[in-house]
């Protein structure tokens, strides 16, 4: 806040921001469910290629990123971001081909959770991590053999790539204005995955039905959630936004049930709830404490006036007034 007297956000704006976050999360998870429906038509690599390629084209049209005036380090950041995007999406889609969507997102979210805990360096954050571990153990009680060990391992690997995505996204965002960095990184990711998609799906990618589903996937999983989340960040505090994003595993479980018919056992539902709670708690633990509002200095009676020598200013008084003014960034 830059004003001298910051006001709390209005209730309509806050509730609208919550609705935007939930809309973005629903879009992402139902987009993942749509991707699973595409697998029989295009294969996993083909679905990844459709999502990233169409998403990159749409972002390039909407953002029109500038490509001149950047140095080698800027493009290295974009390349790393694109690699993280390509790896995260490819590995996660391989996971949801093997295990239900809800448990897959539950395991994947452990990557950002671990990053949050390590960055926080607080005892409370490690307690939330222990709760998440309990959720994973409980998820295993439902039978990791039922989940397919390879699928669970892929979901965990996708979580590590998600953590890398977060780090690369921050570095790229610091070097490129607006969504330019994301549009360029999506282009890199699309180019990296295109050969695998063509080898897996071939001419099936040009089928009108497949292209229509792929466009819907790109909109649901990339363009729409990014737009909704960007609008939500203008209405909500960052900490509130991050806690709301922790609902991803629960929303994924609902999407898997409604779209894919993936019913979960009660123990798996409880495990997902534990990981959601741990993720939200870790975000809160990592948030820096709010700075106390600056208070006015106590009134001090003025000393007796002493005349200054002619031609001499009052540097002590000027310095004291400057020091008393609260610093702004």
């Amino acid at each position: 806040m830059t004003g001298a007297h910051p006001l709390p956000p209005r209730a309509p704006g806050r509730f609208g921001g919550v609705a935007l976050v939930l809309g973005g999360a629903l879009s992402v998870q139902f987009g993942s469910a749509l991707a699973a429906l595409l697998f029989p038509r295009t294969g996993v690599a083909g679905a990844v290629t459709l999502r990233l390629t169409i998403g990159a084209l749409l972002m390039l049209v909407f953002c029109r990123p500038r490509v001149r005036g950047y140095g080698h380090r800027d493009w290295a950041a974009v390349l790393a971001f694109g690699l993280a995007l390509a790896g995260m999406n490819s590995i996660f889609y391989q996971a949801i081909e093997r295990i239900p969507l809800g448990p897959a997102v539950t395991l994947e979210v452990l990557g950002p959770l671990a990053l949050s805990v390590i960055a926080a360096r607080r005892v409370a954050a490690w307690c939330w991590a222990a709760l998440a571990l309990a959720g994973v153990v409980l998820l295993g009680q439902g039978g990791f053999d039922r989940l397919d060990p390879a699928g669970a391992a892929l979901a965990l690997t996708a979580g590590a790539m998600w953590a890398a995505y977060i780090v690369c996204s921050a570095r790229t965002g610091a070097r490129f204005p607006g969504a330019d960095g994301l549009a360029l990184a999506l282009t890199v990711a699309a180019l990296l995955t295109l050969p695998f998609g063509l080898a897996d799906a071939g001419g099936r990618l040009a089928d009108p039905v497949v292209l229509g589903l792929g466009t819907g996937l790109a909109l649901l999983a990339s363009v729409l959630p990014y737009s909704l989340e960007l609008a939500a960040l203008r209405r909500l505090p960052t900490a509130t936004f991050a806690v709301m994003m922790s609902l991803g595993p629960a929303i994924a479980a609902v999407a898997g049930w409604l779209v894919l018919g993936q019913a979960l056992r009660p123990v798996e539902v409880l495990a997902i709830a534990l990981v959601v709670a741990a993720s939200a708690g870790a975000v809160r633990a990592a948030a820096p404490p709010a700075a106390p509002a600056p208070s006015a200095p106590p009134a001090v009676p003025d000393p007796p006036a002493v005349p200054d020598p002619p031609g001499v200013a009052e540097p002590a008084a000027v310095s004291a007034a400057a020091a008393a003014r609260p610093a702004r960034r």
Side-chain angles (χ1 to χ4, degrees):
M1 299 294 290
T2 57
H5 303 284
L7 298 174
R10 299 178 183 177
R14 186 184 300 116
F15 294 143
V18 169
L20 289 169
V21 174
L22 290 176
L26 286 167
S27 182
V28 167
Q29 303 306 340
F30 277 86
S32 296
L34 177 61
L37 294 177
L38 259 178
F39 293 163
R41 295 174 179 265
T42 64
V44 176
V48 172
T49 294
L50 282 173
R51 171 185 172 173
L52 293 177
T53 302
I54 298 175
L57 290 174
L58 291 172
M59 290 295 292
L60 289 174
V61 169
F62 291 140
C63 298
R64 298 180 183 179
R66 182 171 58 89
V67 296
R68 295 182 179 179
Y70 297 109
H72 295 295
R73 292 185 178 180
D74 301 322
W75 290 112
V78 167
L79 179 60
F81 193 12
L83 284 168
L85 270 169
M88 180 181 66
N89 284 283
S90 300
I91 296 171
F92 178 69
Y93 280 11
Q94 290 285 348
I96 63 175
E97 186 189 29
R98 294 168 169 82
I99 62 176
L101 183 58
V105 176
T106 301
L107 293 172
E108 185 195 27
V109 82
L110 295 179
L113 175 60
L115 182 64
S116 175
V117 169
I118 293 171
R121 297 179 181 178
R122 296 179 183 175
V123 175
W126 288 102
C127 293
W128 289 115
L131 182 64
L133 182 60
V136 173
V137 172
L138 195 60
L139 193 63
Q141 297 299 315
F144 274 122
D145 53 339
R146 173 176 178 261
L147 291 181
D148 179 8
L154 285 167
L156 290 171
T157 305
M161 295 302 298
W162 192 357
Y165 162 88
I166 293 171
V167 174
C168 294
S169 175
R171 292 178 178 174
T172 305
R175 295 175 178 271
F176 291 83
D180 287 10
L182 176 63
L184 294 170
L186 270 173
T187 304
V188 171
L191 292 174
L192 289 171
T193 58
L194 184 59
F196 300 99
L198 291 175
D200 194 17
R204 288 174 290 170
L205 293 178
D207 181 85
V209 175
V210 170
L211 284 175
L213 290 172
T215 302
L217 173 61
L219 288 170
L220 284 173
S222 297
V223 179
L224 183 59
Y226 173 77
S227 303
L228 293 176
E229 290 165 8
L230 191 63
L233 280 169
R234 297 192 180 105
R235 293 167 171 82
L236 291 175
T238 304
T240 304
F241 174 84
V243 170
M244 293 294 299
M245 293 296 289
S246 301
L247 295 173
I251 296 173
V254 173
W257 174 54
L258 291 177
V259 179
L260 304 173
Q262 296 174 341
L264 297 176
R265 299 174 182 175
V267 67
E268 293 170 329
V269 173
L270 178 59
I272 290 172
L274 288 178
V275 174
V276 167
S279 181
V283 168
R284 298 294 294 177
S295 56
V300 178
D302 294 330
V306 178
D308 290 320
V312 177
E314 298 181 275
V318 174
S319 299
R325 186 181 299 117
R328 291 185 182 181
R329 294 185 181 273

